[in-house]
Amino acid sequence: MEDKEANSSSANQQPSPNLQLPRSYKSWLRMVTYVFFLVAGQSTATLVGRLYFDQGGQSKWIGSLVQIAGFPILLPIYFAISWSSKSPTSQYNSPKRHSTSLVLLAMVYVILGVLISASCFLSSYGYSYLPVSTFSIICASQLGFTAFFSFFLNSQKFTPFIINSLVLLIISSVLLAFQPNSTHLTGVSKGKYAIGFVCTLCGSAVTGLTLSLSQFFFRKVIRNETFKAVLDMITFESIVATCVTLIGLFASGEWKGLSREMEGFGLGKVSYMMTLLWAAIAWQLYAIGSVGLIFEVTSLFCNVISALVLPIVQVLAVIIFHDNMDGTKVMAVILAFWGSSSYIYQHYLDDHKVQE
């Protein structure tokens, strides 16, 4: 009887699986990996995308397609994990798996796929008319849009630090609308610059909505806390987005000029293909990182890390593309970094409060 009571007491004192050190270590390792994928993928994709338009690329639909059509490179990993998940002892079989109807899942992937396609097309317009530095700073506004949509979809709480973050990021984007003409790309008129600015800002809003919906669907619909669920979302939403973009490419007639575009590419045909290939690979790294961080943390945290890529892209854009860094841009970068840091500090306070 005493042995049973001792065993019962010992069992009651054992930490829950979520608090075990190995599990916590693995969670942090996954988070760091996702952060690396997001930072490396976003910064590389942004610069390579600018290179495509700088060297003679003109197709907005191709610029959009490379952002989503690289998902086949993930298929070997996807099938390997799908096969492993069938094993009863597989680490991918989480006890928190939840069965969701195929019709409901299809609706989720279609909604996200269409939104991703729209976001990619809008950002492609931004690429073509804006310098890399300007484009990346405007994209920092995604954090504000994500917080706004998360407030309604994911019950995101607004603290003074988060509100401060949103205000600073909005001001950072608005400042760019009043840049001098010297910051425009060669041959880009004020009208096209304005179009690029508006399209990039709208693309950031759609991206913020997409990330918030992704978190909402993960928590409320999919409810499978496995890495396979992350790959499922990336793969199927990419298939939908690719189909929508291909329809736009052929419906617009831009496909007819692709051979001529390849011939006239400044770095040659091979470089043309390699530019598109590396852009596609980089965007897939970004997709893994962003969806993974939504899965591990929140959509808002994902966008905070995305905003922190801003200084990296700024420096690389000045070195590689000789972008002009005037006082307005410097101020916009400072405000964007300040806004991101404000949210990170709030995240630190939340973690500290939980530990108490």
Side-chain angles (χ1 to χ4, degrees), residues 102-166:
L102 293 179
V103 174
L104 190 56
L105 282 176
M107 290 177 61
V108 167
Y109 297 139
V110 167
I111 292 172
L112 293 177
V114 171
L115 288 174
I116 288 172
S117 178
S119 172
C120 291
F121 182 73
L122 290 169
S123 65
S124 182
Y125 255 97
Y127 274 134
S128 61
Y129 295 144
L130 299 176
V132 172
S133 52
T134 304
F135 176 85
S136 59
I137 293 173
I138 298 173
C139 286
S141 63
Q142 287 180 193
L143 180 58
F145 288 117
T146 304
F148 174 78
F149 291 120
S150 292
F151 174 77
F152 296 101
L153 294 173
N154 303 311
S155 301
Q156 174 68 47
K157 295 181 179 179
F158 282 88
T159 65
F161 287 108
I162 291 181
I163 294 174
N164 177 64
S165 174
L166 303 184

Side-chain angles (χ1 to χ4, degrees), residues 38 90-91 152 155 188 200 224 245 258 353:
L38 189 150
S90 171
Q91 60 176 319
F152 296 101
S155 301
V188 176
T200 305
N224 281 350
T245 305
L258 293 182
K353 185 176 181 180

Side-chain angles (χ1 to χ4, degrees), residues 191-223:
K192 289 183 177 180
Y193 179 88
I195 292 174
F197 182 91
V198 172
C199 287
T200 305
L201 193 62
C202 291
S204 296
V206 175
T207 300
L209 175 60
T210 304
L211 294 176
S212 297
L213 280 174
S214 297
Q215 180 182 345
F216 175 80
F217 289 142
F218 258 132
R219 302 291 190 267
K220 304 297 184 180
V221 180
I222 298 175
R223 289 188 285 174

Side-chain angles (χ1 to χ4, degrees), residues 242-264:
T242 300
C243 291
V244 173
T245 305
L246 285 174
I247 292 173
L249 174 65
F250 285 99
S252 66
E254 282 191 0
W255 64 275
K256 298 177 182 178
L258 293 182
S259 59
R260 184 172 63 254
E261 180 177 284
M262 185 185 301
E263 293 285 345

Side-chain angles (χ1 to χ4, degrees), residues 286-299:
Y286 167 79
I288 294 175
S290 60
V291 176
L293 285 179
I294 293 172
F295 168 74
E296 288 289 338
V297 196
T298 64
S299 58

